[in-house]
Amino acid sequence: MIKNKILITGGAGFIGAHLANELKKNNKIMIVDNLENKGGIPHIDKSNFFVKGNILDKKILKKIETWKPDIIYHLAAQSGGEGAYDDPKKDFDTNGFGTYLIAKLAKKIKCKYFIYASSVAVYGSSKKKLTENSNINPDSIYGISKYAGEMFVNQILNKTNVKVRIFRIFNTYGPGENLQNLKKGMVSIYCSFIWKKKPLIIKGSLYRYRNLMYIFDCVNILCRSINNKKLKKFEILNLSNGKKIIVKDLVKMILKVNNLKEWKIINKKDTPGDSFGNNASDKILKKKFNDYKFINLEDGLKKYFLWINKIKDKNLINSHPYKINKNYKI
Ligand SMILES: NC(=O)c1ccc[n+]([C@@H]2O[C@H](COP(=O)([O-])OP(=O)(O)OC[C@H]3O[C@@H](n4cnc5c(N)ncnc54)[C@H](O)[C@@H]3O)[C@@H](O)[C@H]2O)c1
């Protein structure tokens, strides 16, 4: 039985492709993606309705309006902190104005749910443990544009009947990421050097810290956020496992899961837009998602390398996990 018509913008990207794979089991899926970004290896499941196009394009918006989704997962974005510095206007157009347009459309078609993939970057660097009420103080172009998106969602949808979930997603890693992109995804960048059997280049301090979440957990929470009676009509949540890890220990763990005793490490100066540290409390998320148990870093990295070690083509075109095995389980 088909339950809902779900639009996933950015549904060919890293998180979006896995989300689509989970949601397609019980729902009709439309994917809108311009296949421009390279956060993930692009993947579109043939059983989904795919529209290649830009969320800023009026004709694409009309197509969405005609299809009339009940639920919108809005993930399309310029998704890299460092990438935003290459083209700040594009970053703001996509993440800010693009979100404005999709939120306006959600209001117009009176959809049931609007789920927005925001980012930890809205907080900037912080020494304190972050809660959903922490100060918003982005220290990057990307953080500013993602927060602009949040404000548009709030302004446009808060007083409507659309149920809104804004997830401030913390660093997510796992199969399907583009290991050739050295401008997005701390875990994927470091793992890519092991994959290429090259010295591991670390830009910035070894004492920077993050919360690192395996893709399965990120997708699971996003899926469970619809029909979740514990969530308010308008809910903002940190999507994080609440486990602080410093870069130095992340690298040690990457070597451990690969049974490597040592590896050449080159430390370089930091990159623009890279926060020193963020670490969240998972208290509210756990309360609202029945004490959800996250996969720990060691197990997540083991799963990640099971995929990485199967990659045969350097350009990654045929290496998306669902291309290697269409029943792939993240
Ligand atoms: N991966 C993470 O760790 C992380 C952390 C925080 C927030 N997020 C957010 O989650 C979302 C998904 O991230 P991801 O890691 O899957 O990134 P991604 O780059 O792999 O996916 C984004 C997708 O959006 C598409 N896209 C970009 N601009 C578009 C446009 N104008 N029109 C249509 N499609 C467009 C890209 O082609 C890409 O497929 C993004 O909004 C990102 O900001 C991700």
Side-chain angles (χ1 to χ4, degrees):
M1 192 184 72
I2 298 294
K3 285 187 195 152
N4 290 299
K5 288 172 83 178
I6 302 182
L7 164 71
I8 307 176
T9 70
F14 168 47
I15 299 175
H18 288 302
L19 182 67
N21 193 58
E22 280 309 299
L23 291 171
K24 74 168 191 200
K25 293 169 190 162
N26 298 312
N27 305 287
K28 246 185 174 169
I29 308 290
M30 175 186 198
I31 293 194
V32 172
D33 197 304
N34 62 1
L35 303 181
E36 248 191 32
N37 271 20
K38 299 196 169 63
I41 302 167
H43 179 80
I44 308 121
D45 187 304
K46 288 199 176 68
S47 63
N48 297 328
F49 172 38
F50 174 56
V51 175
K52 182 172 179 232
N54 196 319
I55 53 164
L56 304 174
D57 181 341
K58 277 188 189 147
K59 280 190 241 113
I60 298 296
L61 295 171
K62 195 76 207 161
K63 277 195 179 165
I64 300 173
E65 192 182 333
T66 310
W67 195 72
K68 208 173 178 306
D70 310 308
I71 297 172
I72 297 178
Y73 279 89
H74 177 44
L75 275 67
Q78 187 301 112
S79 60
E82 197 183 338
Y85 287 80
D86 297 337
D87 193 345
K89 183 177 181 303
K90 188 169 186 179
D91 178 84
F92 194 79
D93 284 351
T94 309
N95 300 2
F97 187 54
T99 303
Y100 164 86
L101 291 172
I102 298 291
K104 287 275 272 193
L105 190 62
K107 181 176 176 182
K108 189 172 181 191
I109 61 177
K110 298 188 172 65
C111 72
K112 288 196 275 191
Y113 288 94
F114 187 90
I115 298 101
Y116 173 52
S118 183
S119 168
V120 54
V122 303
Y123 294 116
S125 200
S126 172
K127 287 199 174 101
K128 291 191 195 135
K129 203 153 178 126
L130 296 164
T131 71
E132 284 74 2
N133 293 321
S134 294
N135 274 349
I136 299 295
N137 190 16
D139 53 5
S140 64
I141 294 175
Y142 170 71
I144 292 172
S145 67
K146 291 303 283 187
Y147 191 60
E150 282 196 22
M151 288 194 288
F152 284 132
V153 172
N154 188 350
Q155 196 183 83
I156 296 163
L157 296 175
N158 204 352
K159 293 199 175 81
T160 66
N161 288 328
V162 183
K163 293 192 177 85
V164 174
R165 283 87 179 88
I166 294 178
F167 285 102
R168 294 180 180 148
I169 304 177
F170 284 57
N171 289 52
T172 304
Y173 68 94
E177 273 181 298
N178 183 347
L179 292 153
Q180 297 288 19
N181 183 349
L182 297 181
K183 288 194 176 178
K184 179 187 175 269
M186 178 187 274
V187 180
S188 126
I189 293 171
Y190 297 166
C191 292
S192 76
F193 294 111
I194 308 291
W195 171 59
K196 291 176 189 161
K197 302 197 173 21
K198 294 247 168 81
L200 201 161
I201 299 170
I202 298 177
K203 293 182 180 169
S205 164
L206 295 176
Y207 294 92
R208 284 171 299 142
Y209 53 93
R210 298 283 183 274
N211 293 164
L212 304 169
M213 176 169 50
Y214 188 65
I215 180 71
F216 173 85
D217 291 325
C218 176
V219 167
N220 239 337
I221 296 287
L222 291 176
C223 289
R224 291 178 194 193
S225 70
I226 45 179
N227 301 326
N228 180 337
K229 300 263 170 353
K230 289 188 182 164
L231 299 188
K232 295 179 291 206
K233 192 198 107 32
F234 190 100
E235 186 82 59
I236 299 180
L237 287 166
N238 287 334
L239 180 37
S240 158
N241 57 14
K243 294 271 177 301
K244 177 178 172 180
I245 175 128
I246 62 168
V247 166
K248 202 172 169 196
D249 291 339
L250 165 64
V251 172
K252 270 193 201 156
M253 189 62 88
I254 292 174
L255 297 187
K256 184 181 171 204
V257 302
N258 284 286
N259 294 318
L260 295 166
K261 293 254 158 12
E262 45 189 60
W263 199 263
K264 187 169 166 56
I265 292 175
I266 301 169
N267 202 188
K268 291 193 175 174
K269 76 172 182 46
D270 55 1
T271 49
D274 189 33
S275 293
F276 190 86
N278 44 63
N279 174 33
S281 160
D282 59 353
K283 213 167 131 191
I284 298 186
L285 192 86
K286 286 229 154 120
K287 201 168 112 195
K288 306 244 176 186
F289 287 84
N290 298 331
D291 222 7
Y292 184 84
K293 299 260 178 308
F294 288 90
I295 295 172
N296 68 43
L297 181 64
E298 184 167 354
D299 290 342
L301 286 174
K302 280 184 187 158
K303 278 168 162 286
Y304 191 20
F305 273 96
L306 278 181
W307 169 68
I308 292 177
N309 291 329
K310 285 200 182 94
I311 296 175
K312 297 223 164 51
D313 55 330
K314 281 214 175 84
N315 56 17
L316 298 169
I317 290 170
N318 293 310
S319 293
H320 194 278
Y322 300 123
K323 267 207 171 167
I324 293 177
N325 173 358
K326 81 177 166 46
N327 298 317
Y328 192 92
K329 294 223 167 16
I330 45 171

